[in-house]
Amino acid sequence: MKVSDLLGRKGARVSTIHPEKSLRSAMGVMIDEKIGALPVVCKDGGLVGIITERDIFRFLYHDIDAFGKKVVADIMTQELIVGIPEDDIEYIAEVMTKNRFRHVPIVEKEYLKGILSIGDIVKARTEDTKATNRYLMEYISGGPSLGIF
Ligand code: AMP
């Protein structure tokens, strides 16, 4: 399956944050939206980094007293590894495993198109496996299954 197919299923909306926003507001967006990462995007739409719950967790452990003074740009990861809509999701899964992170922003001509999490990949794989199982059951039984899975 291609990244573009998966983004199509997820819908076009992607939550982002501006680099000068406070860490507290980044946390608030992640909590409200029940997500673990935010691509960091400037006013002109340029993608400049990513901040995840792990970055905030690490920061709090080392310097909890400075929490109120820091902004997203202070702790975000700037050296991004990104995907493109034409990538295969298995390639994205490999990138996540190899680099030990759980999020990959998807870009087209330097602009953010979406973000995939490890959860999106697992969900897509599970749905694919279900569809294959159904097809095989129909094939074995010689007709359409009655949905008993
Ligand atoms: P995560 O497992 O996604 O919460 O991220 C773990 C660490 O990797 C954090 O420091 C993130 O800022 C960083 N990170 C997450 N995704 C990416 C990415 N696509 N490219 C570079 N760094 C990333």
Side-chain angles (χ1 to χ4, degrees):
M1 187 192 295
K2 295 281 174 209
V3 163
S4 51
D5 299 326
L6 191 45
L7 286 185
R9 282 193 206 176
K10 271 187 80 176
R13 194 175 165 280
V14 44
S15 300
T16 62
I17 193 143
H18 187 271
E20 291 309 316
K21 287 282 183 183
S22 67
L23 294 187
R24 188 178 165 77
S25 60
M27 268 174 116
V29 177
M30 289 191 227
I31 289 167
D32 290 347
E33 311 256 333
K34 299 186 175 64
I35 52 178
L38 289 167
V40 184
V41 173
C42 287
K43 283 222 169 66
D44 65 1
L47 177 65
V48 292
I50 188 168
I51 182 166
T52 79
E53 51 197 0
R54 192 168 295 183
D55 295 312
I56 295 177
F57 197 60
R58 195 188 296 130
F59 177 79
L60 288 174
Y61 177 76
H62 288 294
D63 202 2
I64 196 164
D65 294 337
F67 180 71
K69 296 172 210 142
K70 297 288 176 180
V71 295
V72 168
D74 294 327
I75 71 161
M76 69 184 185
T77 301
Q78 295 181 51
E79 281 174 28
L80 277 180
I81 296 179
V82 298
I84 56 171
E86 294 74 30
D87 283 335
D88 200 275
I89 64 162
E90 290 311 317
Y91 168 73
I92 300 293
E94 258 177 61
V95 167
M96 287 180 181
T97 309
K98 200 170 142 222
N99 292 284
R100 293 173 162 267
F101 51 56
R102 298 162 293 178
H103 301 90
V104 174
I106 307 300
V107 301
E108 204 169 32
K109 296 189 186 104
E110 291 175 38
Y111 288 97
L112 184 69
K113 294 291 288 181
I115 184 167
L116 290 185
S117 71
I118 193 111
D120 296 324
I121 305 272
V122 170
K123 189 162 172 254
R125 278 179 173 169
T126 308
E127 282 166 7
D128 260 13
T129 307
K130 274 191 195 159
T132 307
N133 285 350
R134 191 180 184 105
Y135 168 79
L136 288 174
M137 286 303 281
E138 286 177 8
Y139 180 75
I140 291 165
S141 64
S145 83
L146 300 173
I148 319 164
F149 290 99

